[in-house]
Structures are given as C-alpha cells and as structure tokens.
C-alpha cells in the first residue's frame, strides 16, 4: 500500500467510523484493520492470528490459574505452616510460568524463524528459505507479549473477548511501524465509542501533514545520496562518507519519526492517542538520553521486560556482591545496569538483523552505555566540583555535539550491509578525507538535482527550527491551531502548496517506510 493509498484509506475509514453506530465502532476498527492487513498479503494473516490467539488464550489461562491458586491458598492457609504455604505458592506459580514461557517461545520462535532462518541457512552453506516478513510482525509480537507478561505479573486483567483483544493487536495505523502500545493505555481507547470532534480531527490532520512532509520531502530526497555512497563506498573519501552518514542520520530520523507522526495523526482521527515514540533525539546530551528519546516505546519495552528482569536476577545480584568486595560499592551498584545495557542493545542489534554489522552496532551502543553507568559516580563528583561549568549553555552544546558524533559513528555499522565495509569507511574517514570530492558535480551524479539539494537544505532547516522550538517548550501544533481561522488555514495552505511543489521532481528517491517489515 503506497503512502497516498494509506492516507486515503485512513480518511475513508474515519468517515465510516463517525457514521457507524456508537456501540459498533470498535468492531468497525477491527474489520478495517484486518482488511488493511489482508491487503498487504493474505499469506501474512496466519501469523497475525497465531500471535493474537496464542497470547489471548495464554493470558486467559494464566488468569484462571492465578485465580485458582489464590482460592487454593486461601482454603489451605489455616492448615499449613509458613514454609508449606511458601512451597505451595511456588508450585502454583510454576504452572503459570510454564504457560508464559510456552506462549513466549511460540511467538518469538515464529518471529525468529521468519527473520533469521534464511540468513542462518545461508551462513551455514544451505539454500535460503526466502521467507517474507509479514508487515509489522515485530511490533505486534512485542505488543502482544508485553500484554501477556503484564497479565502474568498481575498488572493487567486478561481480556475475555477475543475480538476486543484482536483489535488491540491489529489496530491498523500502528501495524506499519509501531509504536508498541501498552494494553492498559491503548485498549480502553480502542473500545471507547469516540464522538466526532472537529478540533481533534484537525490536530490529527496537521500531524499527518507534518509526518508526510518529513517522509516525502526530506527522507525520500536524502535517499539517493545515502544509497549512492554506501552502495559504492570504495570510490569515496572520508568527506563524502561523512556527508552520507549525516544524510543517513537525517533520512532515518525523518523516515521513522515522519511515519510515526503520520500513524499517530491517523489514530487521532478516531480520537485515539498512541504512545509517543520520538522526542527530538538529536538534542540529547548523552547516549542514554538519546535512546530515551528515540523509538521510546521499544526502549520502554526493553526496559520493563528485559533490562529490569535481567538486572534483578540472582546471578547478577551475586555478581554485584562479589564485585563489591573487590572493586568497591560504586562499581557494585552500577554493574547490574552496565550488564543490562549490554544485553538489551545486543538484542536490539540482533532484532535489526542477524548479521555482524548489527551485532557490532548493538555492542557499540551497549558498551558505551555500560561504561557510562560505571563512570556515573565520577561524573557526579565532577558536576559537584564544577557546577557552574556543567550548567552553562556552552557545556550543554558540547554534550549535544558529542552525543551526535557518538550516535553517527554507530550509524556506520547500522547502514553498512557488512561489518568490514563499516570499518573500512571509518578508516577512510580518518585517513583519506578527500574534501575536494564534496562538489556539486558529484552530488548531482548521485541522482539529486540542484533543485533537490536546495529543497532538502530548506526542509532540513525548517525541521530543525520546529524541533528547536519544541525543545525549548513551544507547543507548535497547538500554536498553529490556536490562530484565527483565516490565518490558520492560510498557514496550512501555504505548507500544503510547499509540499506539493517539492513533489514535482522525479530525481528524488521514493523509498517505502524503513521499519515497515521489522
């Protein structure tokens, strides 16, 4: 489904939604979501159904076992000693854990097979399976299993209605590339019979327009530069490589955050607020701050379901205690966080792809975050001694630029298809810079016209200006929508005409969403 078809589909569905009887609106959302998914390939539907039915049934079974366990413990409480009650509770809990682990294994096993079977077979010398990844399979798998774990932990009551749960899994805007929703926040909104709200629809349309701008005017226009250099990196010196990495940084952010803006705006057409997924990450002052701003919902999922459970395990606790005796209390306290960060980013790297470049990208981020956790006490002492310097605007800018550089070094590994290419490009960045290569003639040879370069620069400046205003606390969308009607529509019409004018050129790239099949 093209971007234009998606927007038309969303507008038609919104029209149907508000003429549908209130009590049936959630059911209409379910039907159009499955129609959307079926449009992308009927062969992908079994995987969506497998995830939906297995996590729904697993959560329901866990809920029933938990209720029985509580009743059994209550019944036998008077006749058991404290130690016997503890043993019985552990035995009853074990049944729930078996259901949880089997359901997780089924879902992540299916995801791993689809994502990694072909590359693993190729690496082993066998013929690849050439399996096609269903649309958004990682996002709905993470979302469903997060719900399952919340039920197991007693944070969420299991949903008894399979159709209502199916809507939570399949709500069509977030199938494209997230965000990863939480059941307690999203499900009540999906089931609520939202009434027509012109202000809310106008807010959604404005956000859709901003997302469309980021995707079509910036991300797709930067694509030829990035693909051209990374696709033939042997012929370029460090200056062009740096330019391509910066272009990739821009392309990836505009593509991913633009897509999130678009789907968030579509959800707002129905009165539904999706979880935030980006918060101006390139203004981050540390790598940890960057990952708290980039793909927020994935970071929160990893934090709650991987990082904390791992950091609080007995082996990690024992290791931290052993470290205290040899390395001191500061290292002991930081060690669980350091190890947790390495594990999380190793998994995130593998999630991106089962190749060495992604594994190295994950380890690069994880090791830096681990070092940051271990050095946190030293940084705190530095801050206490030099408070005025640390709080200065100049030091803040230095931290932002330092973080930007660290992140972009990581993008070498993320964008290259082979780890060896990433190391070679890094080496040429330092040893073979060749600044003379950065010329208009060479940029034009990559597929960008002079007009495209001008538009890309102008659009990037606009994106930066809006982001900077938001970083300083401005509510840009609210400001636009609070203008008098004539001025508001004049601004919107001007922005629409600018976008339309920039779509005329045929030389810019036309890529689909980068994360649509993750």
């Amino acid at each position: 489904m093209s971007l234009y078809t998606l927007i038309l589909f969303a507008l038609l569905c919104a029209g149907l939604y508000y003429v549908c009887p209130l009590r049936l609106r959630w059911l209409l959302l379910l039907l159009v979501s499955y129609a959307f998914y079926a449009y992308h390939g009927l062969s992908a539907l079994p995987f969506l159904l497998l995830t939906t039915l297995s996590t729904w049934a697993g959560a329901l079974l866990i809920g029933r076992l938990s209720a029985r366990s509580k009743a059994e413990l209550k019944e036998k409480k008077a006749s058991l000693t404290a130690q016997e009650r503890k043993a019985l509770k552990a035995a009853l809990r074990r049944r729930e854990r078996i259901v949880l682990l089997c359901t997780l294994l089924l879902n992540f096993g299916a995801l791993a097979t689809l994502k990694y079977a072909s590359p693993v077979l190729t690496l082993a010398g066998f013929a690849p399976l050439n399996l096609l990844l269903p649309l958004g399979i990682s996002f709905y798998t993470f979302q469903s299993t997060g719900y399952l774990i919340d039920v197991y932990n007693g944070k969420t009551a299991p949903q008894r209605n399979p159709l209502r749960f199916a809507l939570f899994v399949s709500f069509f805007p977030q199938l494209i590339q997230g965000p990863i929703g939480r059941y307690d926040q999203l499900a009540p909104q999906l089931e609520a019979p939202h009434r027509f709200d012109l202000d809310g629809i106008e807010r959604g349309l404005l956000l859709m327009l901003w997302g469309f701008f980021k995707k079509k005017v910036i991300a797709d226009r930067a694509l030829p530069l990035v693909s051209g250099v990374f696709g033939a990196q042997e012929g370029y010196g460090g200056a062009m490589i740096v330019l391509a990495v910066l272009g990739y940084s821009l392309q990836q952010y505009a593509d991913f955050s633009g897509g999130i803006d678009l789907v968030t705006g579509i959800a707002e057409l129905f009165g539904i607020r999706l979880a935030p997924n980006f918060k101006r990450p390139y203004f981050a002052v540390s790598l940890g701050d960057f990952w708290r701003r980039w793909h927020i919902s994935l970071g929160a999922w990893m934090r709650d379901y991987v990082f904390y459970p791992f950091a609080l395990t007995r082996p990690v606790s024992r290791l931290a205690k052993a470290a205290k005796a040899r390395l001191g209390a500061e290292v002991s306290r930081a060690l669980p966080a350091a190890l947790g960060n390495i594990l999380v980013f190793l998994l995130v790297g593998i999630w991106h792809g089962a190749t060495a470049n992604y594994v190295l990208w994950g380890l690069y981020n994880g090791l830096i975050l681990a070092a940051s956790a271990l050095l946190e006490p030293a940084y705190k002492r530095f801050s206490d001694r030099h408070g005025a310097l640390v709080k200065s605007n100049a030091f803040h800018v230095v931290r932002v630029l330092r973080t930007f550089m660290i992140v972009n070094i990581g993008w070498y590994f993320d964008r290259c298809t082979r780890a060896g290419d990433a190391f070679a490009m890094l080496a040429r960045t330092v040893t073979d810079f060749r600044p003379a290569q950065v010329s208009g003639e060479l940029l034009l040879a990559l597929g960008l016209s002079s007009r495209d370069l001008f538009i890309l620069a102008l659009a990037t400046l606009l994106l930066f200006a809006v982001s900077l205003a938001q970083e300083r606390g401005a509510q840009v969308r609210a400001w636009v929508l609070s203008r008098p009607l004539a001025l508001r529509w004049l601004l919107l019409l001007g922005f629409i005409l600018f976008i339309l004018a920039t779509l005329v050129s045929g030389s810019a790239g036309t890529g689909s969403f980068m994360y649509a099949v993750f």
Side-chain angles (χ1 to χ4, degrees), residues 131-184:
L131 299 173
L132 294 177
L133 272 178
L135 178 72
I137 184 172
S138 291
F139 299 109
Y140 69 68
T141 299
F142 281 30
Q143 182 160 304
S144 303
T145 52
Y147 156 81
L148 180 74
I149 297 170
D150 284 347
V151 171
Y152 173 78
N153 289 329
K155 295 179 180 178
T156 299
Q159 170 59 259
R160 297 182 179 277
N161 188 322
L163 295 181
R164 292 182 185 274
F165 180 70
L167 174 58
F168 165 71
V169 178
S170 65
F171 183 48
F172 77 90
Q174 62 182 16
L175 279 175
I176 299 169
Q177 55 181 357
I180 302 167
R182 299 297 178 94
Y183 186 82
D184 60 337

Side-chain angles (χ1 to χ4, degrees), residues 409-420:
I409 291 173
W411 292 150
Y412 280 78
F413 295 96
D414 182 71
R415 181 57 180 82
C416 287
T417 55
R418 294 181 301 175

Side-chain angles (χ1 to χ4, degrees), residues 172-235:
F172 77 90
Q174 62 182 16
L175 279 175
I176 299 169
Q177 55 181 357
I180 302 167
R182 299 297 178 94
Y183 186 82
D184 60 337
Q185 298 169 6
L186 183 57
Q189 295 188 74
L190 293 170
E191 297 173 21
H194 299 281
R195 297 181 182 274
F196 184 83
D197 176 14
L198 184 59
D199 290 339
I201 289 174
E202 195 173 16
R203 281 177 57 85
L205 289 172
L206 183 57
L207 190 56
M208 289 171 62
L209 187 64
W210 182 241
F212 184 86
F213 162 76
K214 287 199 281 188
K215 165 62 179 167
K216 298 302 294 182
V217 178
I218 298 178
D220 282 0
R221 189 162 264 106
L223 180 60
L225 165 65
V226 177
S227 299
V229 174
F230 276 91
Q233 47 94 8
E234 298 88 352

